[in-house]
Amino acid sequence: MKLRKVTAASAAVLALALTATACGGDDSKDSGSSSSGGGKIKVGIKFDQPGLGLKQPDGSYAGFDVDVATYVAKQLGYKPDQIEFVETKSADRENALARGDVKFIAATYSITDERKQKVDFAGPYLLAHQDLLVKTGSDISKGTDLNGKKLCSVTGSTSAQNVHDTIAPKAQLKEYSGYSECIAALQSGAVDAVTTDDSILAGFAAQDKYKGQFKLAGLKLSNENYGIGVKKGDTATVNKINTALEKMVSDGSWQKAVAANFGPANYKNEPAPKIGVIVK
Amino acid sequence: MFDFLEGYDVLGAFWTTVKLTALSAVGSLILGTVLAAMRVSPVPLMRGFGTAYVNIVRNIPLTVIIVFSSLGLADIFGMTMGAPDDFKLQGFRLAVLSLVVYHAAFVCEALRSGINTVPVGQAEAARAIGLSFSQSLRLIVLPQAFRSVIVPLANVLIALTKNTTVAAAIGVAEAATLMKTMIENEAQTLAIAAVFALGFVVLTLPTGLILGWLGKRLAVKR
């Protein structure tokens, strides 16, 4: 009797899971076939980067990537309530696009040659640089100051590799699986600086709980051209997104979004990049 | 097809995995044996401690233990593990410490089940000829217990080998860390993941086969 109940329960769960996935499939088909109006559009963002893409406790999303994605989706003909944000972690971005899980990805996605072989990029829509976040009052002001200092970055990230290879091979590098851990280490004084793209750092420093504690060192250690990832070969969407991005810059929404998301962290943003121009 | 492997020290990363595994295996075997001895000892306080340790530690996720060791012990309490100026070594030692602490609980339980296979008469006979508790455990009970739990211990060892990947969370340069780096650079998730999956099969499959064979040969026939 008990066994039968368990079987029935698991059958119900299975059926539910199947219908749920079926719904998901329909949605993505909708967003894939119709380019304007009707249905939903799925957009890939990050959920864990304040200032860029952050899922807030109340379930809403905030950040510069979110603002850009919302603007672009609007130009493609989708109202804000028709946008469904999907978390695309760094390792999963290429596959999510190839499978058609998302229509496009705006998630601190730097345009590189290796990635261009797998996906197409619209944009760039923001030029970021690798930078350091230090405590207010720290004396680190140039790259060579880092030798002998303690640095924190995320395991495997491009920034962490840059520190090893070029910027300061003698710096002690601590690696964590997320930037939040690094920020905690910086706050407790276990490391002297956190390094990654200045946009990401500015997002953390602009959070209410850290206001006034950290500042950006303002070193331009690398150029990161953030693009919007689109499925390989989908030139029509790339062109539409490029048009949308140009419009976002020309009508002032771009500047407004930058100021709103990175404002309080002494972040001097680059002027809006020209579409198709990649700063090496 | 495998040109994405160029420029990466895949073997070096797996060597770190092997070192992590070997050191943690030795450490957890020692600590686990001590814990098992405590759990069967006649002293209630020691029994209580052993039971509490096992039940607490084996129910905390390994990720939590490892991240706590780095964020809590090292960053906040300033525990440097004898390497204050070398984050690489510090991270490695913290990872070994966490892996030992965690897997000792599982070694302890495997071993305790082995102790339970030794007939009570053996321990009674040991007492009868005047051996103390520690002597009868060391000379009579544990040697028989170990021989009957080689296969369960092999399972713990295989799990330990795979669990070393959690050390990537604090940046220890082992296989999973390199995998993250490669995925970040090469945008070839599936091929890279397949290479690393194969690497772990190469590490763990022989372990299982050899220890399985040993387990059969050495088991005490009753």
Side-chain angles (χ1 to χ4, degrees), chain A residues 264-279:
Chain A
N266 185 29
Y267 178 69
K268 298 183 188 65
N269 69 284
E270 297 276 345
K274 294 265 181 301
I275 299 301
V277 179
I278 292 172
V279 183

Side-chain angles (χ1 to χ4, degrees), chain A residues 90-95 112 114-115 118 150-151 155-159 161 164 172-178 181 184-185 188-191, chain B residues 8 67 70-72 74-76 84-88 90 94 168-172 176-177 180-190:
Chain A
S90 292
D92 198 35
R93 292 182 291 208
E94 289 82 19
N95 287 331
T112 65
E114 285 85 2
R115 287 170 184 163
K118 292 274 175 178
K150 293 170 180 171
L151 231 68
T155 314
S157 65
T158 324
S159 323
Q161 297 174 41
H164 275 307
Q172 285 295 324
L173 184 65
K174 189 158 202 148
E175 288 174 75
Y176 276 121
S177 55
E181 286 100 319
S188 76
V191 296
Chain B
Y8 296 100
V67 171
S70 188
L71 267 180
D75 288 1
I76 293 173
D85 297 315
D86 190 346
F87 277 159
K88 274 192 183 326
Q90 192 182 327
L94 285 168
I170 60 169
V172 178
T177 311
K180 281 188 182 181
T181 310
M182 287 174 68
I183 288 174
E184 169 95 6
N185 294 344
E186 304 293 333
Q188 297 210 40
T189 319
L190 280 183

